[in-house]
Amino acid sequence: MPSTLHLYAGNPEDVERAAQILRKGGLVAFPTETVYGLGANALDAGAVERIFAAKERPKWDPLIVHLSDAGQLAQLTQIAGPLEDRVTRLAEAFWPGPLTMLLPRTAACPAEVTAGRSTVGIRVPAHPVALALLQRVCLPIAAPSANRFGHVSPTTAQHVLDDLDGRIEAVLDGGAASVGVESTVVDPAQAPMLVYRAGAVGVRELADAAGVAAELFVPTPASLAGGRESLPSPGVGLRHYAPETPLVLTGPSPRALQEGASGALSRGERACLLLPVDWCLEIPMGWTAVPWGRWADPASLAAELFLALRAAEKTGADLILCALPEPGGLGDALRDRLLKAARSR
Ligand code: TXA
Ligand code: MG
């Protein structure tokens, strides 16, 4: 395939071009408020299969379908009984926004999208460019994060091109994603509701909005040993979001990061630090530091996490050192991504 078209969201003709490519079964990466997604017509099994090929994504990992409005749910999902009330409450509270709900699917949803599962992940994104594109195409759009499988998720159009240039028809550039980590994934049919991926919508916020308890799903070693197909959500427990350079995590303080640096130095290693801009640290000669948001402001850490990891892997350091935030709120999402990125190959 020739190199990927770089389209600009500020140009209405480019948005129309992106919509046309999607309607014809092509692949277009587009910005959402969380990360860039790699979109294809969710109703076209052939187009959906091309997403898996471009990303080198295994067939067992299902895709999230993006809608411009919750009113389109009936085409792809079958929601009845008490679940209906719960889904309505969650949709009213968090859509458009960074929440994906796993919902019983209809036959209109190709099995390729859901990896043969009986539920489909659905979200209405909050990014104006994503919404404009979805409205132009008038189709549900399946879109995983627009990175090569297992690599760091993309928060800019350049990140998408770094991973997928020549593999997809176009990227629609709408600037940097603001949230910076992927949507919260919840199964609202469980009691308590189960959160399979932490994101900007917190576990407590979900429970408050739905009026039902919610908790983070923690896989047991036995469930992980059972293989991807048997996990309730195959993204759980995966080595993922991983930079090319090994990532080493320290405790959540400048002192712990400094100690981690001293340890690496004594082993003769050269590290790149992910350094919160409100921390002051002595950086050894010949080392590098990549600025990473403000520790006191977890939203800024989330917004810049993937940007910082991608910048750090380009420095050529032996390892990346980073402090692991405390649990709770966005801390849950940051910990999830960092722990998965640090998992050994
Ligand atoms: O913020 C986001 O969610 C971004 C943007 C583009 O919307 N998308 C995204 O997609 O992160 P992806 O494919 O990289 O991650 C989707 C996660 C995967 O871990 C997948 O296993 C899980 O959601 N998932 C999707 N559909 C599912 C289903 N039917 N059942 C269980 N897990 C599902
Ligand atoms: Mg992904």
Side-chain angles (χ1 to χ4, degrees), residues 61-339:
D61 202 0
L63 306 179
I64 294 172
V65 176
H66 296 66
L67 305 178
S68 63
D69 188 275
Q72 299 173 335
L73 273 175
Q75 185 181 15
L76 294 172
T77 67
Q78 231 162 1
I79 311 165
L83 182 61
E84 196 170 352
D85 175 51
R86 210 177 279 184
V87 169
T88 305
R89 283 169 178 239
L90 290 173
E92 276 172 7
F94 302 112
W95 282 353
L99 176 68
T100 295
M101 288 193 248
L102 303 181
L103 303 171
R105 75 173 172 101
T106 62
C109 183
E112 285 75 7
V113 172
T114 65
R117 287 168 183 258
S118 59
T119 60
V120 55
I122 305 265
R123 103 175 176 97
V124 178
H127 198 291
V129 174
L131 287 172
L133 181 64
L134 287 165
Q135 281 155 2
R136 297 293 312 144
V137 246
C138 265
L139 288 167
I141 296 295
S145 50
N147 51 291
R148 296 253 190 131
F149 183 72
H151 193 215
V152 180
S153 292
T155 55
T156 66
Q158 188 56 52
H159 293 165
V160 174
L161 291 170
D162 288 347
D163 276 22
L164 300 175
D165 193 10
R167 293 171 168 237
I168 64 176
E169 275 73 21
V171 56
L172 181 59
D173 193 332
S178 56
V179 175
V181 289
E182 303 87 340
S183 61
T184 304
V185 175
V186 68
D187 183 346
Q190 307 289 324
M193 299 188 295
L194 289 178
V195 173
Y196 293 121
R197 185 172 68 185
V201 175
V203 177
R204 197 178 306 160
E205 285 175 89
L206 282 171
D208 288 349
V212 184
E215 62 184 42
L216 266 181
F217 174 80
V218 183
T220 60
S223 68
L224 287 173
R228 295 287 146 208
E229 287 82 352
S230 60
L231 278 169
S233 181
V236 162
L238 209 59
R239 180 175 195 275
H240 214 315
Y241 315 107
E244 304 286 334
T245 314
L247 172 68
V248 176
L249 302 173
T250 76
S253 66
R255 189 167 164 180
L257 186 60
Q258 189 84 67
E259 280 167 10
S262 305
L265 192 64
S266 67
R267 292 190 299 274
E269 292 166 335
R270 211 165 37 86
C272 172
L273 303 183
L274 250 58
L275 191 59
V277 294
D278 47 351
W279 284 10
C280 192
L281 239 70
E282 272 176 47
I283 299 170
M285 285 274 285
W287 284 31
T288 44
V290 169
W292 176 38
R294 287 180 56 238
W295 192 261
D297 175 16
S300 71
L301 296 179
E304 292 177 32
L305 176 66
F306 293 144
L307 195 75
L309 283 173
R310 280 182 180 251
E313 76 180 352
K314 285 197 173 144
T315 63
D318 301 321
L319 75 157
I320 302 169
L321 272 175
C322 172
L324 185 65
E326 307 268 18
L330 262 179
D332 289 339
L334 291 164
R335 288 172 67 86
D336 171 73
R337 306 311 187 270
L338 283 167
L339 288 166

